Amino acid sequence: MNISEVAERSGLPSKTIRYYEDVGLIAPGRSANGYRSFAETDLHKLAFLGRARSLGFTIDECRRLLALYEDRGRASADVKKLAEGHLEDIDRKIAELTEMRRTLSHLVHCCAGDGRPDCPILESLAKGAV
Amino acid sequence: MNISEVAERSGLPSKTIRYYEDVGLIAPGRSANGYRSFAETDLHKLAFLGRARSLGFTIDECRRLLALYEDRGRASADVKKLAEGHLEDIDRKIAELTEMRRTLSHLVHCCAGDGRPDCPILESLAKGAV
DNA sequence: TCTTGACCTTCCAGTCACTGGAAACATTAT
DNA sequence: ATAATGTTTCCAGTGACTGGAAGGTCAAGA
C-alpha cells in the first residue's frame, strides 16, 4: 500500500503518518522507487495509534502502549497503570478548566454587555477580585 | 523597578516578562545601563495579564483585553463577546476531555490489572471497540 | 512520444507560550 | 580585586503536528 491508501484507511493524514515514522512509531518498508510500502500490520498499528491519540495519550505513551501490545508476556497491570496515570492527567485538566469556567462564567454573567464602558470582567482582571 | 522585583510582585517569571515585551504586550522603559525600567503601570498590566492568562485567554486575546481595558470608550459588550467566545472554547475542551475520560475510565475498570497479558484496554485500541 | 496531473519524496519553517542555557556586560558585596 | 548576583541578547527546544516548496515517479490520454 502507498501512503494515501493507508491514510484513507487509517483516518490519519499522510503528514501524520510520515511524522510517526520520523519519531519511530512505525517502520514501513520501501519500494524500489523510494515510496513507503505499508503492510497490513503497519495499517493496524496506525489505527491503534489513532485510537490511542484520540484518547489523549501522548506520543510517548503511545510508544509504550504499542510496546506492551507487542509484548506477549506483558502484565495487564502495566497497561492499567499507564492508563490510570493518563486518567489522572485528564482529571487534572478537567479540574483546571472547570475552575476557569466557573470564574469566567460568573464574570460574564455580571457583565451588562451593552454600550457602556463599565465592565466587571475588566475590573476583575485589573484588581484581582473574582 | 528592575525585572526581578516586577517578577516577584507580579508573580510572573522574568523570562515571561521579557517574552511579553517581545510580543508587544508591554513596553517598559530603559535605564541608562540598558536594564528594563518598569513603572507601576507596567506592573499593573503584568498582573492583569497574569490573571487573564490564568483564565486561559490566549496571548492574542490578552492583547485585545488590554486594548479594551485601556480604551475609555469601549463597550462592555465587546469584552463580554470576547469572554463568551473563550468560554465556548473552554466548554469544547471540557466536553472533549470528559468524553475521553468516560471511555478510558470504562476500559480501566474492565482491566484486571494483574500479571496476565489479557487486557481490554489494548484490545480496544487494537480493534476499535469501546 | 509527450504531456498532464496525481502521487510520492525530503527538507524547512511555523504553530503556542513559554523555558533553558550560553556568553557577555553591570552592579553590589566582601 | 574578586566574587556573586543581576541583567542583557540570542538561540534552541518543547509537542504533535501542519503547510509549503522543490523535485522525482507513475499512469492515462492526445
Side-chain angles (χ1 to χ4, degrees):
Chain A
M1 273 177 284
N2 280 348
I3 199 165
S4 62
E5 184 181 345
V6 179
E8 170 110 7
R9 290 178 60 191
S10 68
L12 297 171
S14 300
K15 278 275 186 189
T16 299
I17 296 173
R18 290 194 194 100
Y19 173 71
Y20 286 174
E21 184 186 9
D22 264 8
V23 299
L25 288 173
I26 53 166
R30 295 282 173 154
S31 303
N33 59 13
Y35 288 14
R36 286 172 185 80
S37 173
F38 296 85
E40 286 296 329
T41 57
D42 295 314
L43 177 57
H44 190 70
K45 273 195 199 183
L46 286 167
F48 182 103
L49 289 168
R51 283 186 284 265
R53 289 287 302 130
S54 80
L55 287 178
F57 286 102
T58 65
I59 290 291
D60 208 64
E61 287 165 340
C62 287
R63 202 188 315 278
R64 279 180 278 160
L65 283 171
L66 216 43
L68 285 166
Y69 181 58
E70 290 174 341
D71 174 8
R72 306 306 204 97
R74 71 185 163 252
S76 70
D78 291 337
V79 184
K80 188 168 183 170
K81 217 180 302 168
L82 192 46
E84 280 171 341
H86 179 47
L87 208 46
E88 282 168 28
D89 290 347
I90 291 177
D91 283 342
R92 259 190 299 279
K93 280 183 197 154
I94 290 177
E96 197 179 340
L97 286 167
T98 301
E99 177 56 22
M100 283 182 190
R101 210 218 109 87
R102 207 185 58 75
T103 303
L104 191 57
S105 168
H106 170 66
L107 291 173
V108 163
H109 281 105
C110 290
C111 177
D114 55 19
R116 288 171 301 166
D118 316 83
C119 177
I121 301 170
L122 292 180
E123 279 162 27
S124 167
L125 290 172
K127 304 203 180 103
V130 183
Chain B
M1 272 177 284
N2 280 349
I3 199 164
S4 61
E5 184 181 345
V6 179
E8 171 110 6
R9 291 177 61 190
S10 68
L12 297 172
S14 301
K15 278 275 185 187
T16 299
I17 296 173
R18 291 194 194 99
Y19 173 71
Y20 285 175
E21 184 186 10
D22 264 7
V23 299
L25 287 173
I26 53 166
R30 294 284 173 151
S31 303
N33 61 10
Y35 287 14
R36 286 171 185 81
S37 173
F38 296 85
E40 287 296 329
T41 56
D42 294 314
L43 177 57
H44 190 70
K45 272 194 200 183
L46 286 167
F48 182 102
L49 289 168
R51 283 186 285 265
R53 288 288 300 131
S54 79
L55 287 178
F57 286 102
T58 65
I59 290 291
D60 207 65
E61 286 165 341
C62 287
R63 202 189 316 278
R64 279 180 278 161
L65 282 171
L66 215 43
L68 284 165
Y69 180 58
E70 289 174 342
D71 175 8
R72 306 306 204 99
R74 70 186 164 253
S76 70
D78 291 338
V79 183
K80 189 168 183 170
K81 217 179 302 169
L82 191 46
E84 281 171 340
H86 179 46
L87 207 45
E88 283 168 29
D89 290 346
I90 292 177
D91 284 341
R92 257 190 299 278
K93 280 181 199 156
I94 290 177
E96 198 179 339
L97 286 167
T98 301
E99 178 55 21
M100 282 180 191
R101 210 218 109 87
R102 205 184 60 76
T103 303
L104 191 56
S105 168
H106 170 66
L107 291 173
V108 163
H109 281 105
C110 291
C111 177
D114 54 19
R116 288 171 299 166
D118 316 84
C119 176
I121 301 170
L122 292 179
E123 278 162 28
S124 168
L125 290 171
K127 304 203 179 100
V130 184

